[in-house]
Amino acid sequence: MSGGALIAGLRAQCGGPRDGALLRFSLGNALLQAGDAAAAAEELQRAVGFDPLYSAAWKLLGKARQAAGDAAGAAAAWRQGIAVARQRGDKQAEKEMAVFLRRVEGGAQG
């Protein structure tokens, strides 16, 4: 399935009975891979709206915001994601987001 067909298929399910954090995460991931970081960030924001404890969605939301040129938004997403990962005991996600956060806060030094 091409990226465009995948995105269209996922979008068709939005608002339906299967709509939720996983669908929005999948759509955000597909959009990010297709190069549409701004739309990806919107969908990933919806994913964490459905499930605020979805640490993988927070991590990808930060990446999407960073790709869209929103360093402050990326840092905010990763800070929230780190708190969520810590709460859930998701050590790997916590470590990864801490690295991303250090890089974005370091600016050009990273």
Side-chain angles (χ1 to χ4, degrees):
M1 183 181 280
S2 75
L6 174 62
I7 291 167
L10 292 169
R11 279 195 168 136
Q13 296 178 57
C14 293
R18 302 179 92 178
D19 201 355
L22 182 58
L23 174 64
R24 298 301 178 137
F25 176 83
S26 299
L27 179 53
N29 189 38
L31 287 162
L32 188 57
Q33 289 179 3
D36 193 345
E42 289 176 22
E43 294 303 331
L44 292 160
Q45 185 65 55
R46 290 183 181 106
V48 297
F50 277 110
D51 182 0
L53 299 180
Y54 195 170
S55 51
W58 285 109
K59 182 170 75 171
L60 203 58
L61 175 58
K63 285 187 171 191
R65 286 179 173 171
Q66 184 180 36
D70 180 7
W78 287 325
R79 278 191 210 96
Q80 182 64 40
I82 289 166
V84 165
R86 194 170 290 146
Q87 180 181 343
R88 298 185 68 219
D90 190 349
K91 297 289 184 203
Q92 185 61 34
E94 182 183 344
K95 284 181 196 173
E96 290 174 11
M97 286 184 274
V99 169
F100 298 151
L101 183 58
R102 279 195 299 275
R103 286 182 188 155
V104 78
E105 287 179 334
Q109 301 168 4

